[in-house]
Amino acid sequence: MTAAPTPTPAKRPRVPKTVWDLIFTLVIPIMILSPNILGSGISIAEQVFGGGTTGNVRAYLLAALIPVGYVLWDLLVNRNVSPVALIGGAGAIFSGALAFWYVDGFWYAIKDSARSYLVGLLFLISAATSVPLFRVFLDATSIGESPEHRAATQTAMRDPVVKRGLVQGTVVFAVVDLIGGVVNSVVNYQRVTAKFGTDDFNAQIAAVNAVMRVPGLVISLVGVAGAVWLLNRAVTARYGAGASLFEPGKLAERLRERGETPA
């Protein structure tokens, strides 16, 4: 009698990366900063680091460095050396370095948005060069495409009309990112009013981080959407209705119809 085959164990569903991102960049830092985690009476600054100014500073540094460590760990484990990933890693290191700048009030409000200001300025500067940084993001999205489709995308992005759209999109993305930084600075200046190293300071930072996560994400998406719209408008103007860098198959067909061999 033939033995019944051993059933293959069902694979456990993987936790989406966005969930891990949320846990390590928002939930854990907020819990570390909180003087009363979920009403339990537990405080990392008090129970783990001994309380007082020293305990609060150590809790603040831990909360600031955990997201940095998570981003760098993710970069190394996935061996992602794309320009987008490297920019994210550089931004994480920049944020980690700023954690050791002990300030409050106005300068803390500036510090908390420094990454947005830096990215915005770099994108603005790149718009005046031969490689607008928004193109870096588009190059990253086309890595998994077939050679023909990737060649079509690269050919289109070298076209003067499309490149003008890339420049405009880069500027829009930069300006919106700078606006997001200003909004974040204003909120921090209004709400983080306690002295650095106190329980109230850490608690106020935790509250602002929770409040600003969704608005900050929305502002970033507005910048991306505006840049993509300008780019698609330029591609449509150059290659006709329906052409898009995000549909490389159709784009390759339009290039062949015009006698522009993707290269």
Side-chain angles (χ1 to χ4, degrees):
M1 184 174 180
T2 305
T6 303
T8 303
K11 292 184 179 180
R12 294 181 180 179
R14 295 184 62 182
V15 178
K17 185 177 182 301
T18 51
V19 174
W20 289 119
D21 291 347
L22 189 65
I23 290 172
F24 281 97
T25 64
L26 183 66
V27 177
I28 292 177
I30 286 176
M31 292 177 67
I32 292 171
L33 290 168
S34 175
N36 183 15
I37 300 175
L38 299 176
S40 64
I42 297 175
S43 166
I44 300 297
E46 183 72 30
Q47 270 78 30
V48 177
F49 294 123
T53 300
T54 299
N56 285 319
V57 171
R58 288 175 177 174
Y60 165 79
L61 286 175
L62 180 62
L65 294 177
I66 279 181
V68 178
Y70 169 72
V71 170
L72 296 179
W73 175 84
D74 183 59
L75 188 67
L76 293 173
V77 167
N78 293 323
R79 297 180 180 179
N80 190 348
V81 293
S82 70
V84 175
L86 293 177
I87 289 174
I93 294 172
F94 179 69
S95 297
L98 284 179
F100 294 92
W101 183 25
Y102 299 158
V103 289
D104 48 39
F106 173 80
W107 287 113
Y108 176 78
I110 297 298
K111 182 182 85 167
D112 195 61
S113 298
R115 188 170 175 174
S116 292
Y117 296 145
L118 178 63
V119 170
L121 288 174
L122 287 176
F123 269 71
L124 277 181
I125 293 170
S126 75
T129 70
S130 59
V131 185
L133 277 177
F134 196 68
R135 175 172 178 166
V136 173
F137 288 92
L138 296 174
D139 283 338
T141 61
S142 68
I143 288 177
E145 296 173 357
S146 67
E148 181 190 7
H149 288 174
R150 185 166 170 79
T153 302
Q154 297 296 317
T155 298
M157 286 196 291
R158 286 194 294 268
D159 182 86
V161 174
V162 177
K163 185 176 179 181
R164 193 178 308 120
L166 279 170
V167 170
Q168 293 171 348
T170 299
V171 170
V172 166
F173 181 86
V175 170
V176 172
D177 216 47
L178 291 171
I179 291 173
V182 171
V183 170
N184 185 67
S185 288
V186 170
V187 173
N188 272 278
Y189 184 67
Q190 291 176 339
R191 298 194 174 211
V192 183
T193 57
K195 290 294 183 181
F196 179 83
T198 62
D199 290 344
D200 287 343
F201 181 82
N202 284 4
Q204 289 169 359
I205 291 175
V208 170
N209 286 348
V211 167
M212 287 302 298
R213 176 52 64 97
V214 172
L217 179 60
V218 170
I219 291 173
S220 295
L221 290 176
V222 167
V224 173
V228 168
W229 181 81
L230 286 168
L231 179 59
N232 275 334
R233 187 181 69 169
V235 173
T236 299
R238 178 65 177 84
Y239 297 107
S244 170
L245 289 179
F246 303 100
E247 294 185 68
K250 290 183 179 180
L251 183 60
E253 184 179 345
R254 292 294 175 86
L255 288 170
R256 286 193 295 270
E257 289 173 357
R258 291 170 173 266
E260 300 178 28
T261 305

